[in-house]
Amino acid sequence: MSMTLNSNEIEKLLPHRFPMLLVDRIVDMEPGVWAVGRKCVSANEMFFCGHFPGQHIMPGVLILEALAQVGAAAILSMPEDAGKLVVFGGVKNARFKGQVVPGDVLELSCKLTQRRGAIGFGMAEAKVDGKVVASGELSFAITPAEKP
């Protein structure tokens, strides 16, 4: 089963909010298996104030965070994981192959490759105009959400 999510639906799954919600839309997803998201990069992003004035480049760590959020959406779309918190556990073999600048549309994909209890793993890739700009192997910790 594939599905899409708009920004309001993403906010029902993920706890992230501006300026840290880095996924605008899930364009396709098989819950618990994989997800493809989109981030429309704007010159108005908060991080461009300091990275870098005069030559805006999206920080690589934020590209990885956006990829992790797409993976978290795939996990949290499963009924048994609804309402839980997915925390970015780590990254292996991160590679950055191009710059992401205002006006770019990031296509973010994460395929979940393994799950052992509360720990999950995924292969992630970010593209702009069909060219890979970043990739890595992500790990996640899935925990019960704390009540405020």
Side-chain angles (χ1 to χ4, degrees):
M1 169 178 94
S2 66
M3 60 188 288
T4 62
L5 301 173
N6 65 33
S7 61
N8 294 315
E9 293 165 325
I10 292 168
E11 285 189 355
K12 290 178 184 172
L13 287 180
L14 302 180
H16 305 79
R17 297 296 180 265
F18 177 83
M20 287 306 298
L21 181 58
L22 299 173
V23 181
D24 297 324
R25 179 176 297 275
I26 298 294
V27 296
D28 202 5
M29 171 171 58
E30 184 176 343
V33 180
W34 56 267
V36 176
R38 186 176 294 145
K39 165 72 176 158
C40 297
V41 181
S42 165
N44 295 322
E45 308 283 353
M46 295 279 293
F47 50 80
F48 286 137
C49 292
H51 201 272
F52 298 100
Q55 186 172 352
H56 298 151
I57 300 170
M58 185 174 183
V61 296
L62 294 182
I63 298 169
L64 290 174
E65 173 64 26
L67 288 165
Q69 289 179 17
V70 169
I75 293 169
L76 294 173
S77 63
M78 296 292 293
E80 61 269 25
D81 292 318
K84 293 183 181 176
L85 181 65
V86 176
V87 180
F88 192 178
V91 62
K92 284 197 222 175
N93 300 318
R95 298 288 179 262
F96 301 97
K97 300 176 180 184
Q99 295 180 355
V100 177
V101 299
D104 285 344
V105 177
L106 267 176
E107 184 177 302
L108 306 155
S109 63
C110 185
K111 181 177 193 280
L112 303 172
T113 56
Q114 189 175 34
R115 175 124 178 221
R116 287 186 241 142
I119 304 298
F121 300 89
M123 294 296 296
E125 191 173 71
K127 294 180 180 180
V128 172
D129 295 328
K131 290 185 66 177
V132 175
V133 293
S135 62
E137 302 167 40
L138 309 179
S139 62
F140 307 92
I142 303 139
T143 65
E146 292 185 22
K147 303 287 182 208

